[in-house]
Amino acid sequence: MKAIFASKAVYLLFLIVIQMSLVSWSYAQVLSTAQGNASKTAETVIVKPAAKSFWDNSRLPVFLQDNVPASSPQKEQTGMAASALGSAWREVRIVPKDDRILGNLGGFRTNMERHGFAFTLTYLTETLGDVVGGRKRGMTYTHQIVMGTDLDFEKMLGWKGTSFHMLGIQRAGRNVATDYMGVTPLTQPQEDYGAGGNVLYKLVYMYMEQSLFDKKLIIDFGRMPANMKFGTSYLGCYALNMITCAHPSGLSNVTKWRSWPFSQWGIMARVNPANRLYAQAGLYEVSPTEGGRAGFNFSFAQNGFVIPLELGWEPSLGPDKLSGHYKLGGYIDTSDHLDPFTSIDGRPKLVSHLPGKTERQRGAWYVGADQMVYRYGPAANQGIILYGLAGWNMGASLPNQSQYTLGIISQGMFPSRITDAISFFWTRQTVNRKITRQQEMQADMGLSLLNGVAAPQSNFQVLELTYTAFIARGMKLLPDLQYIINPDANKVYPNALLAGFRFVAQF
């Protein structure tokens, strides 16, 4: 066991060294190229809280959303969980300058970013326990270490609008959903466990980005999750449950419209015409390997394609500039999948004893919005924000039928803590009716039920209350309560109350 542990540790260290070695390479490139390209700087304002705190005398960068892609460092400084929001995710946030535990490393970080190199190292843990209800009492720990690299080739080599993004994670821990709350992972209270838990290192994305026509057109190509920039909202990660952070899991669970940390070959384009409107579409392979356990299986073998589409409007309303995001989208999956209930002759599988009929195409569509309705102060997101999403699956072979989510976020209500926030989310997911019918027939016939449950599944609900607190430079603590109605989407186990926290450290 010691030898195995040592070999894993060496392997992880080797992967970290590979990413960090890019620092030396990029710095050498910087020194060898002309530095005539004027670097673009973020517009800044001075925000001074009423009370003395670590915010005082900080210059707070305001990242504007007018067709300007947010860089990886900007996204990581949001104070939320590291999530697959993508380098072109446009957002309005305000944070302390150099909000990292290690700070600016004596100017090294700023100097490297000025010359086109940025890196991310984040530790995140989510510890949750089942304190009331569910299958039994108990607590689990999970963690996620994020290692990311972003190269701006326009600054480094003069390649206008060209950049490269790479990010990998290391995950470990236990799942409170299956250890204590119930027996199925239909809901994941710990977002950092989720898909791909307990891996030493997994590549999440590695792709090139090209912006054209003054960033009116942005094209990505490479290895990335198919829904990384579709149907996603960073506001969902004010919560811990994967049902909202950062993508509606009811539309992506056990689908080929994959969420992070799974990656596949793909290409997408986003057009930002004017008036805060955008349209984006992509083409991604349906991969039988999905990158393999470590994400480095780059095979081009594919069983079909996933084609996502999304239209959006991102207004800033009134004199208080109340920001909002409105989107309508969906996807089509052209790969083949078996119907869980109906056989090839049209009768129930349990009656005909024949294989399920093949579904040639499936997909989903969604509508989502968030809107600030009241502003406490000048900082971005410093106000009351309403959030909503509804999505519907279109396919007999998908595990869920629909998802509805509502939320409210109040950030910066205390003048001395402008990025602290309290949030509340409610979500209801419905199980695919064909799965329910199959389980009902199995129960009537005295057979074991699909998905290993003890009663037919229908729906479940999640209510989650979270507080986001900046406790020191580079460190955030999010105490969390979750109330799960119908664990396992049935009434076998009583409703469960989960309590715990998320802790984030950004280095």
Side-chain angles (χ1 to χ4, degrees), residues 14 257 261 321 366 387-388 401 404 429 483:
F14 174 71
W257 192 36
K321 299 188 181 300
Y366 57 86
Y387 176 92
Q401 195 77 36
Y404 302 94
Q429 274 191 19
Y483 187 67

Side-chain angles (χ1 to χ4, degrees), residues 37 74 137 142 195 220 224 231 240 337 420 452 489 494:
N37 295 326
Q74 292 169 355
R137 308 291 81 71
T142 62
D220 296 342
M224 48 191 160
L240 274 63
H337 301 275
D420 278 19

Side-chain angles (χ1 to χ4, degrees), residues 190-256:
Q190 296 151 293
E191 178 273 337
D192 68 337
Y193 184 86
N198 294 317
V199 294
L200 178 63
Y201 181 92
K202 188 172 183 66
L203 178 69
V204 176
Y205 59 71
M206 183 174 66
Y207 67 95
M208 298 292 297
E209 179 178 305
Q210 180 67 55
S211 62
L212 303 166
F213 312 118
D214 194 26
K215 298 184 174 65
K216 296 296 183 183
L217 173 63
I218 300 174
I219 300 172
D220 296 342
F221 171 76
R223 300 284 303 184
M224 48 191 160
N227 67 26
M228 186 168 74
K229 300 181 184 180
F230 294 88
T232 301
S233 172
Y234 70 89
L235 293 175
C237 287
Y238 280 76
L240 274 63
N241 200 302
M242 194 179 69
I243 204 169
T244 56
C245 179
H247 191 275
S249 65
L251 305 183
S252 57
N253 276 350
V254 198
T255 73
K256 299 304 177 181

Side-chain angles (χ1 to χ4, degrees), residues 243-244 403-406 425-429 460-462:
I243 204 169
T244 56
Q403 174 170 332
Y404 302 94
T405 299
L406 295 174
F425 287 90
W426 165 85
T427 295
R428 184 180 190 271
Q429 274 191 19
F460 68 92
Q461 300 178 58
V462 177

Side-chain angles (χ1 to χ4, degrees), residues 100-120:
R100 308 292 181 94
I101 292 175
L102 300 179
N104 198 24
L105 297 174
F108 175 76
R109 188 192 300 271
T110 299
N111 187 51
M112 296 304 293
E113 291 177 0
R114 185 166 56 248
H115 295 113
F117 180 89
F119 59 93
T120 295

Side-chain angles (χ1 to χ4, degrees), residues 128-130 138-140 174-182 189-190 498:
L128 279 177
D130 187 325
M139 179 171 288
T140 62
R174 300 286 302 180
N175 185 1
V176 70
T178 54
D179 281 4
Y180 301 107
M181 190 179 71
Q190 296 151 293
L498 309 181

Side-chain angles (χ1 to χ4, degrees), residues 350-421:
L350 291 174
V351 174
S352 68
H353 302 289
L354 295 173
K357 70 176 182 180
T358 300
E359 184 174 49
R360 301 296 182 186
Q361 183 173 293
R362 63 184 188 176
W365 68 286
Y366 57 86
V367 57
D370 63 78
Q371 179 63 58
M372 180 181 286
V373 295
Y374 179 79
R375 180 174 288 284
Y376 295 122
N381 281 3
Q382 191 180 3
I384 297 175
I385 301 170
L386 302 181
Y387 176 92
L389 180 138
W392 302 268
N393 284 321
M394 313 295 289
S397 59
L398 293 166
N400 296 97
Q401 195 77 36
S402 61
Q403 174 170 332
Y404 302 94
T405 299
L406 295 174
I408 182 170
I409 301 164
S410 180
Q411 178 172 315
M413 54 280 201
F414 307 120
S416 63
R417 303 190 64 82
I418 59 176
T419 56
D420 278 19

